[in-house]
Amino acid sequence: MSLYQNLVWLHMLLFVLWLGGDLGVFILGQNFRRRSYSLPERLTLLKVLVIVDLGPRFAWALMVPMSLSLLYVGGWWPALPGAVVAAAWMIGIGWSALVWDAHVHDMTPRAARNRRIEGWLRYGLAACYLALGALSLVTGGPLEQTWLAWKALLFGAIFLAAIGIDWSFKPVGPQLMALIQQGSSDATEVPLRATMDRTRLWVLTVYLLLFVTSWLGSTKPF
């Protein structure tokens, strides 16, 4: 097998880890919302959710260098410098380290700092992929294939949707603390449920974009 074929296989594995893990997170979140469970049971579901969520986060971080490696090795972007691909791997590995370190030191200033850095990375990478896709669609380069330009653009849109998840999810911390301290009641459950409902819309948007980008990569329709 060629290097490119192996990279395609690894790319598929990352996609499965991302989407499969994210669906697990979604299902756990849906069950956490059920007030028929006791509060300790729901908090246990939440702890499992946080662990399962590590898989999609690692996959997302590594998908960035993997996508550029495929462009480079497959000759889809002939002018792409190897140094950019190497830098992308440094970013992907560094991002993964931030994810793990934030998980290990959760609820500390160190974790908050790591997540701020992650946020800056997301903004920067969103801008890069959106610009790459849009420029290629308008001018025909540097990505000459239309399907590939759309895939880059939609990958940037995934970053934007993920940023939307983070912004929508911000109130959950204080709302969850109120639920733990005051117990389950309409006063603590309704605001938390509303926040999770808003966040779910962004999550479904990510799923839709993942389905479309994977279809584009598999069928190469135009």
Side-chain angles (χ1 to χ4, degrees):
M1 293 180 67
S2 67
L3 174 59
Y4 180 75
Q5 289 173 313
N6 280 289
L7 288 175
V8 170
W9 175 69
L10 290 172
H11 180 72
M12 291 172 61
L13 284 183
L14 288 176
F15 175 77
V16 170
L17 179 61
W18 187 350
L19 184 58
D22 235 351
L23 287 172
V25 171
F26 185 82
I27 293 169
L28 288 165
Q30 290 297 103
N31 281 277
F32 170 80
R33 293 148 54 99
R34 295 176 60 178
R35 296 174 68 174
S36 57
Y37 292 149
S38 69
L39 186 55
E41 289 173 331
R42 294 169 68 193
L43 292 177
T44 298
L45 286 172
L46 198 59
K47 290 177 182 178
V48 176
L49 182 154
V50 170
I51 295 172
V52 173
D53 191 44
L54 287 173
R57 289 182 178 274
F58 286 134
W60 185 18
L62 294 176
M63 195 67 86
V64 172
M66 184 60 66
S67 66
L68 290 180
S69 296
L70 284 168
L71 292 176
Y72 182 76
V73 176
W76 298 107
W77 185 354
L80 178 64
V84 173
V85 180
W89 276 106
M90 292 177 63
I91 291 172
I93 294 170
W95 184 358
S96 299
L98 287 173
V99 169
W100 177 250
D101 195 65
H103 172 72
V104 172
H105 300 94
D106 197 20
M107 306 295 289
T108 67
R110 178 170 172 169
R113 178 208 62 191
N114 290 346
R115 289 177 178 130
R116 282 196 301 272
I117 297 173
E118 281 188 70
W120 298 334
L121 280 174
R122 291 191 196 110
Y123 280 114
L125 290 169
C128 289
Y129 278 98
L130 289 170
L132 175 62
L135 179 65
S136 298
L137 287 171
V138 172
T139 67
L143 303 178
E144 297 177 358
Q145 290 75 19
T146 303
W147 66 267
L148 190 55
W150 272 109
K151 191 173 180 182
L153 186 70
L154 293 177
F155 192 44
I158 290 174
F159 277 89
L160 293 182
I163 290 168
I165 292 174
D166 286 346
W167 277 102
S168 299
F169 205 69
K170 276 188 175 182
V172 163
Q175 291 169 349
L176 182 60
M177 189 61 64
L179 175 63
I180 295 170
Q181 292 175 348
Q182 302 170 28
S184 178
S185 67
D186 286 346
T188 57
E189 295 277 4
V190 172
L192 179 59
R193 177 67 178 261
T195 298
M196 296 186 76
D197 284 343
R198 287 193 297 271
T199 305
R200 185 170 55 173
L201 295 175
W202 288 111
V203 172
L204 294 174
T205 300
V206 169
Y207 293 164
L208 176 61
L209 291 170
L210 282 172
F211 288 141
V212 175
T213 55
S214 63
W215 177 78
L216 287 170
S218 297
T219 62
K220 302 175 178 54
F222 39 71

